Amino acid sequence: MNLIITGANRGLGLMLVLEAAKRGHTVWAGVRKVSESGSLKDMARQYPGKIEIVPLDVTNEEGISSLAERLHKEGRSIDSIINNAAVLIGREHSLEELQIADLERTMDVNVYGPIRMVKHFMRLLPSHGSSTIVNVSSASGSFERAYGGDYSYAISKAALNLFSQQLHHLLEPKGSRVYAVHPGWLRTDMGGPQATNDPSMPAPGIIDLAEGKIECERANVFVDHNGKTLPR
């Protein structure tokens, strides 16, 4: 299986690359700065021929288009797109203190980034048959679990969930699967040291979803890393 994973140089993204490579899959590991990908480079040496580190800034549509065009010309196909790259900024601000620039930056990465990725890489998915798009989301994007706070992040994840539902309706007739996946509260730069889970914990389940090993009800797009349906 061929996968492309964004935000691949640390945290959950790094663990997803590792899990996929361990299973023998080929991974294009997207990072903003290849020079700052030491752990990923070590991993690529550990799994030769399985991991290609590629410069991929999800806010740069020209760069995304260029990579997609390169892979297309090489005759490559993509079985799974995992949109993992995200930011969490300004969470300490109340609504009265909310910086609109933080909201705009968050939407650019967390929502427009996955949209750009799917826009350009969707043509590399099989025209019919099994393929999967996984958008790494969050329970904070649930309408039923909405709370007062984390405005930029929560709003962006709610929008990502809606985009995932739209993709489901677009691609399901072709046999493709689309999920917005809540991976849990993870000990990463984003989640902080007080989080309950290591980023290696949800990685196997997310790759299972990408492989189609976990059977979810087709209409249920918003799930956890084990495929359990979450409240919208």
Side-chain angles (χ1 to χ4, degrees), residues 52-215:
E52 180 182 345
I53 304 170
V54 293
L56 190 59
D57 181 344
V58 299
T59 67
N60 182 346
E61 185 163 6
E62 183 178 352
I64 293 171
S65 175
S66 177
L67 178 59
E69 181 62 21
R70 189 205 106 189
L71 297 182
H72 177 67
K73 287 181 177 179
E74 292 175 358
R76 305 298 189 98
S77 63
I78 299 287
D79 300 295
S80 181
I81 301 169
I82 301 183
N83 288 309
N84 169 71
V87 296
L88 170 58
I89 52 179
R91 72 178 314 176
E92 71 279 7
H93 294 155
S94 67
L95 182 57
E96 294 86 350
E97 299 169 330
L98 179 66
Q99 301 296 308
I100 298 302
D102 288 346
L103 177 59
E104 291 172 339
R105 168 65 178 168
T106 302
M107 295 294 287
D108 196 19
V109 176
N110 296 6
V111 184
Y112 308 153
I115 291 173
R116 294 182 186 106
M117 286 293 297
V118 175
K119 172 184 174 182
H120 291 283
F121 282 96
M122 189 168 63
R123 66 174 173 159
L124 299 181
L125 297 174
S127 57
H128 286 85
S130 180
S131 63
T132 311
I133 295 174
V134 174
N135 295 321
V136 177
S137 188
S138 169
S140 66
S142 167
F143 274 52
E144 292 184 31
R145 296 181 179 179
Y147 55 91
D150 287 339
Y151 294 100
S152 297
Y153 185 75
I155 290 168
S156 75
K157 292 303 185 180
L160 183 61
N161 291 348
L162 177 59
F163 176 57
S164 301
Q165 190 70 42
Q166 291 177 306
L167 280 178
H168 164 74
H169 288 296
L170 176 66
L171 298 178
E172 197 265 347
K174 299 179 180 180
S176 296
R177 299 173 295 269
V178 180
Y179 300 112
V181 179
H182 169 59
W185 188 22
L186 306 179
R187 287 189 295 275
T188 62
D189 292 345
M190 181 182 295
Q194 73 277 22
T196 53
N197 294 310
D198 186 84
S200 62
M201 184 273 294
I206 293 175
I207 299 301
D208 283 346
L209 285 166
E211 292 176 334
K213 286 183 178 178
I214 297 178
E215 289 295 329

